[in-house]
Amino acid sequence: MVTLEIAGLRKSYGKFQALKGIDLTLERGLFGLLGPNGAGKTTLIKILSTLLAYEEGEVFVHGLNLRTEGHQVRQMLGYLPQQVNLPLQFTGEEFLEYAASMKGVLDKRARKREVERVLIEVNLEECAKKKVKSYSGGMKQRLGIAQALLGEPKLIIVDEPTAGLDPAERIRFRNLIASLGEQRTILLSTHIVSDIELSCEQAAVLLQGELEFKGSLSELASLADGFVYEVGIPASHYEEFEKNHIILASRKEQNNLILRVLAQEPPPYETKLVKPSIEDGYMAILKGVAHA
């Protein structure tokens, strides 16, 4: 079943076009939205979260028109912004009680059940009575997801969720998001390819306000097919080589460097074509080497 349908969505700030006619359809599951800073991701997320008006196009959430039925749409949304302003003097439970009341869960018993449900779902029930100021970065993000889950929303929007987390917390958060996506539609907006690679099956790439790609992760990787080379060069030649080539990664072997290079033609030196990764496909779009 289609959860989110976007058609011809445009948004401008004065003469600057932030979104240039976005078309996108999402069904149940975890969907990744990739793009560098300034690509238009935040503008799109704010529009979908009913925080920002738009000039042209249509947005439907479970058949409801965002422009004319925004109040009903808000009842179906869960949103985790990039920066979550949590009340540090509250306990996790107190914060969720407050958030649930703001979402319209006014009956005290129903609110308590709802808070208990989401705490279990994000594995924070043992920390529920601890103050938020004592939480780690990963715990705060899980608390943010818990508030987004209140009211069992049909669509959850998550903006740059792993920024600032340490590697272990990032892995735990990805696993949580992946499990939540089994029963819901989750739009995960990020510029970190590994967040998408380890969690999502489908993704889109937004670049300068335009949707440059939408499809499976394997299709994204295949965009760089035939353009990714492994090149061996003397370490002393690196600076000169870097001036004319897109280097994706490097490793040292004795006095040589083994470079992973994105190029439309085979670079000089000894080269071999290699199988592209999802990040290679993403970089091929950003650098204009390939087009979807």
Side-chain angles (χ1 to χ4, degrees):
M1 181 179 178
V2 174
T3 302
L4 174 66
E5 186 175 2
I6 303 170
L9 183 62
R10 295 179 182 273
K11 173 63 181 177
S12 297
Y13 299 98
K15 294 182 179 180
F16 174 71
Q17 287 185 295
L19 298 176
K20 304 172 184 177
I22 302 298
D23 297 307
L24 185 63
T25 301
L26 302 188
E27 299 181 356
R28 188 173 68 181
L30 190 53
F31 188 93
L33 179 65
L34 275 168
N37 292 333
K41 300 193 307 299
T42 298
T43 295
L44 178 58
I45 292 301
K46 286 184 176 180
I47 288 172
L48 298 181
S49 304
T50 73
L51 300 175
L52 187 64
Y54 53 98
E55 290 89 37
E56 296 180 33
E58 297 293 345
V59 179
F60 295 91
V61 179
H62 268 264
L64 294 175
N65 190 312
L66 183 66
R67 192 189 298 276
T68 60
E69 300 171 290
H71 178 71
Q72 294 96 310
V73 169
R74 277 190 288 276
Q75 305 305 311
M76 308 176 75
L77 288 177
Y79 176 45
L80 177 64
Q82 184 174 354
Q83 298 292 332
V84 185
N85 294 317
L86 297 171
L88 300 182
Q89 296 304 316
F90 280 30
T91 66
E93 187 177 59
E94 288 169 343
F95 167 68
L96 292 174
E97 288 264 2
Y98 169 75
S101 66
M102 295 301 291
K103 284 194 172 185
V105 186
L106 302 179
D107 180 80
K108 190 173 182 179
R109 290 183 180 179
R111 190 163 63 240
K112 182 176 177 59
R113 288 194 300 269
E114 185 69 358
V115 168
E116 289 175 350
R117 180 185 69 80
V118 297
L119 281 168
I120 291 170
E121 198 154 8
V122 301
N123 196 28
L124 278 179
E125 64 271 29
E126 292 184 4
C127 306
K129 297 190 183 301
K130 293 182 179 179
K131 291 192 180 295
V132 174
K133 66 180 180 181
S134 70
Y135 284 17
S136 68
M139 291 167 66
K140 289 175 181 176
Q141 285 294 72
R142 280 188 277 153
L143 186 62
I145 276 288
Q147 65 81 25
L149 291 171
L150 290 167
E152 300 196 47
K154 305 292 186 183
L155 173 64
I156 298 174
I157 299 169
V158 184
D159 190 10
E160 300 285 359
T162 65
L165 299 187
D166 67 37
E169 288 177 331
R170 181 172 289 171
I171 291 169
R172 282 194 292 269
F173 193 82
R174 286 175 186 154
N175 292 338
L176 170 62
I177 289 290
S179 66
L180 295 175
E182 294 176 3
Q183 301 298 324
R184 304 170 175 88
T185 301
I186 299 180
L187 177 60
L188 171 61
S189 173
T190 184
H191 68 280
I192 302 173
V193 177
S194 57
D195 283 351
I196 301 294
E197 185 174 9
L198 298 174
S199 306
C200 305
E201 294 182 358
Q202 298 276 321
V205 176
L206 192 62
L207 183 62
Q208 294 179 342
E210 297 184 284
L211 207 60
E212 296 289 343
F213 169 85
K214 179 186 180 296
S216 68
L217 297 191
S218 61
E219 289 171 331
L220 178 56
S222 71
L223 294 180
D225 202 11
F227 301 129
V228 184
Y229 297 86
E230 194 170 86
V231 185
I233 68 170
S236 60
H237 292 193
Y238 179 81
E239 288 188 13
E240 187 63 30
F241 187 90
E242 184 187 29
K243 292 177 183 177
N244 302 305
H245 297 89
I246 302 169
I247 299 172
L248 302 171
S250 67
R251 69 179 190 272
K252 191 171 184 179
E253 290 186 0
Q254 297 179 342
N255 293 324
N256 290 334
L257 291 175
I258 307 301
L259 307 178
R260 190 178 183 91
V261 177
L262 184 67
Q264 292 178 318
E265 300 291 338
Y269 302 97
E270 183 179 344
T271 69
K272 66 175 181 180
L273 273 173
V274 294
K275 184 179 179 180
S277 67
I278 294 164
E279 186 160 12
D280 295 336
Y282 175 55
M283 289 301 296
I285 293 175
L286 297 193
K287 300 297 183 180
V289 174
H291 301 279

